[in-house]
């Protein structure tokens, strides 16, 4: 349905400009959506591989911890000697205006910080396995959060593109037709 505008030459020129701008806006939104979807697909390809690696690493880590607990009893004293991780940093990059997190974990060599008197190779193995779990968890968190943010941006962009395509463009087209027919 055409807007109620006076059929003048000035209104026709302004409406045609608005129509051209809306068409360009729709094309840009369509390109943005395609780029975001492409980026999301590359991340979705990485996610299952990371998830399967993290599942197997968790299973190995808990098995190693179970063996250590059986051999040494509950390892609370040794666990208290392990330092808190301070090497985790967050930054971000932008993909078409969407902030994608980058999780960076400092690659430090595994240093056993507990004494060797009350420990054994079983505890060392559990410590090393859980260090691997920590690294994979940081990577998986980055990928999953990125995919979530990109999916939200795709939905938002799709809604805007649909509004232009289904509401604004037909309205402006009918307004141009009304003014042209009246003149």
């Amino acid at each position: 349905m055409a807007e109620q505008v006076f059929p003048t030459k000035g209104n026709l020129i302004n409406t045609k400009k608005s129509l051209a701008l809306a068409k360009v806006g729709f094309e840009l939104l369509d390109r943005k959506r395609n780029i975001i979807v492409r980026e999301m697909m590359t991340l979705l390809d990485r996610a299952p591989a990371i998830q399967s690696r993290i599942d197997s690493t968790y299973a190995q880590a808990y098995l190693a911890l179970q063996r250590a607990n059986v051999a040494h009893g509950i390892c609370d004293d040794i666990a208290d000697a392990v330092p808190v991780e301070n090497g985790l940093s967050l930054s971000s990059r932008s993909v078409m205006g969407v902030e994608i997190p980058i999780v960076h974990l400092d690659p430090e060599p595994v240093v056993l910080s507990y004494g060797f008197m009350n420990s054994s190779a079983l505890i060392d193995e559990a410590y090393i396995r859980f260090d691997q779990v920590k690294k994979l968890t940081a990577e998986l968190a980055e990928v999953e959060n990125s995919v979530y943010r990109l999916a939200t941006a795709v939905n938002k962009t799709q809604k805007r593109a649909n509004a232009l395509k289904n509401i604004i463009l037909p309205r402006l087209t009918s307004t141009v037709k009304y003014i042209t027919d009246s003149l």
Side-chain angles (χ1 to χ4, degrees):
M1 184 170 135
E3 287 183 43
Q4 292 300 320
V5 296
F6 292 109
T8 63
K9 186 79 169 171
N11 284 343
L12 178 63
I13 292 169
N14 289 337
T15 306
K16 283 184 177 180
K17 285 181 184 176
S18 295
L19 180 61
L21 184 64
K23 287 179 180 177
V24 169
F26 174 74
E27 290 172 8
L28 288 174
L29 284 173
D30 191 44
R31 285 187 207 158
K32 177 181 179 177
R33 183 181 50 83
N34 289 337
I35 291 169
I36 292 173
V37 166
R38 192 175 324 124
E39 183 74 21
M40 190 170 65
M41 290 303 164
T42 59
L43 289 172
L44 283 174
D45 291 341
R46 282 179 50 200
I50 296 170
Q51 186 65 48
S52 66
R53 283 190 352 221
I54 203 169
D55 288 343
S56 66
T57 307
Y58 259 116
Q60 294 170 356
Y62 278 116
L63 182 63
L65 181 63
Q66 188 178 28
R67 288 180 184 156
N69 281 335
V70 167
H72 295 279
I74 303 300
C75 305
D76 286 342
D77 295 336
I78 296 172
D80 289 338
V82 175
V84 175
E85 175 64 51
N86 291 325
L88 187 72
S89 62
L90 290 174
S91 59
S92 64
R93 65 183 176 96
S94 181
V95 174
M96 299 301 292
V98 181
E99 293 296 318
I100 304 297
I102 298 173
V103 179
H104 181 72
L105 193 58
D106 291 337
E108 296 178 6
V110 177
V111 177
L112 304 176
S113 57
Y114 47 83
F116 299 113
M117 181 117 181
N118 294 325
S119 67
S120 69
L122 295 172
I123 293 175
D124 297 346
E125 181 184 356
Y127 180 76
I128 291 168
R129 298 283 185 200
F130 276 103
D131 187 63
Q132 293 169 349
V133 165
K134 173 181 65 177
K135 292 172 184 169
L136 288 172
T137 302
E139 186 179 354
L140 184 63
E142 175 184 328
V143 169
E144 286 185 349
N145 195 300
S146 298
V147 167
Y148 175 77
R149 288 182 184 198
L150 289 170
T152 303
V154 165
N155 286 339
K156 191 175 180 181
T157 305
Q158 187 65 41
K159 283 181 183 179
R160 288 179 178 172
N162 285 343
L164 275 174
K165 180 181 175 186
N166 299 325
I167 297 171
I168 304 298
L169 289 175
R171 185 180 294 160
L172 289 173
T173 304
S174 64
T175 302
V176 166
K177 184 179 182 314
Y178 167 73
I179 294 173
T180 305
D181 290 345
S182 296
L183 293 176

